[in-house]
Amino acid sequence: MTDALKKSATLAAAGLVVAGALLAGCGESKATPMDDSYAGNSGETEKSQEEQSQSSGSDSSDSSSSDSAQDKSSGITSDKKDTGNYKDGDYSINGQYGPVGEDSIDVHLTIKDGNVENVEIVGHPFTTISKNHQDAFAKAINGVVDGKPLKDLKVDKVAGASWTSDAFNKALEIARQEASIQQ
């Protein structure tokens, strides 16, 4: 092997290491309660969110926190702890995902007696491929989670949508924290 070839191979390997380090955080899912100031692309206007929170009953009026702090390391946003004991109500969380967080889903959960009663997914895709995955996920998710206990609920790839499923799992983590009855 010539010196020039060795040098090229060494530089190529170093470039791959640097590229891997720079891209290591890409593609991580994160979730945020939708009435949080960090909610991102929730698909709703601030006014419609205010109207929704004012018109909701006392069960869901404090179902999510407007003073949540963001944990930058995990992408999870909530200042509450998961106690395993959940308050009935409706919870809305925005989950972002994709290589640079360009896709998102709004997850609307109804919790009753500690179980998931209903899930509604509103997708905000960046590409046609993302739209297809989000639509398939939205159609299939109720068959997977309805009637299941919220505690420790986690889905695998649903309808072939792995990143959407990851964002949904992050949203479930936030829902558990937001629905938890604090001691």
Side-chain angles (χ1 to χ4, degrees):
M1 198 184 253
T2 67
D3 285 339
L5 190 56
K6 285 181 184 178
K7 187 175 180 180
S8 293
T10 304
L11 286 173
L16 287 173
V17 169
V18 170
L22 290 172
L23 295 173
C26 290
E28 286 189 29
S29 301
K30 69 177 185 174
T32 310
M34 285 181 49
D35 71 344
D36 189 296
S37 59
Y38 297 105
N41 183 13
S42 68
E44 298 180 31
T45 64
E46 185 176 345
K47 184 176 180 183
S48 70
Q49 288 179 4
E50 288 174 14
E51 289 169 356
Q52 181 181 3
S53 68
Q54 290 171 356
S55 66
S56 61
S58 61
D59 279 351
S60 62
S61 64
D62 61 354
S63 65
S64 56
S65 175
S66 60
D67 60 348
S68 297
Q70 186 169 9
D71 178 352
K72 302 276 189 213
S73 63
S74 67
I76 306 258
T77 305
S78 183
D79 60 351
K80 298 177 181 177
K81 294 187 189 266
D82 181 358
T83 64
N85 189 12
Y86 307 113
K87 181 173 37 170
D88 290 354
D90 296 314
Y91 301 89
S92 295
I93 301 101
N94 175 267
Q96 292 184 309
Y97 63 96
V100 292
E102 69 276 14
D103 292 307
S104 70
I105 55 172
D106 295 342
V107 178
H108 303 282
L109 289 166
T110 300
I111 306 302
K112 184 167 183 174
D113 299 326
N115 295 326
V116 175
E117 189 171 87
N118 187 48
V119 176
E120 212 178 299
I121 302 293
V122 177
H124 304 287
F126 186 71
T127 66
T128 303
I129 293 170
S130 295
K131 180 180 182 350
N132 294 339
H133 283 299
Q134 288 179 355
D135 289 349
F137 181 89
K139 288 177 186 169
I141 193 63
N142 279 296
V144 176
V145 300
D146 283 5
K148 302 265 173 76
L150 179 60
K151 185 170 178 55
D152 299 323
L153 181 61
K154 184 176 181 180
V155 300
D156 291 323
K157 188 186 327 183
V158 174
S162 56
W163 282 1
T164 308
S165 298
D166 290 345
F168 181 78
N169 285 330
K170 294 289 187 184
L172 286 175
E173 290 178 36
I174 296 295
R176 281 190 284 272
Q177 294 168 352
E178 294 296 308
S180 283
I181 298 172
Q182 302 298 311
Q183 307 298 334

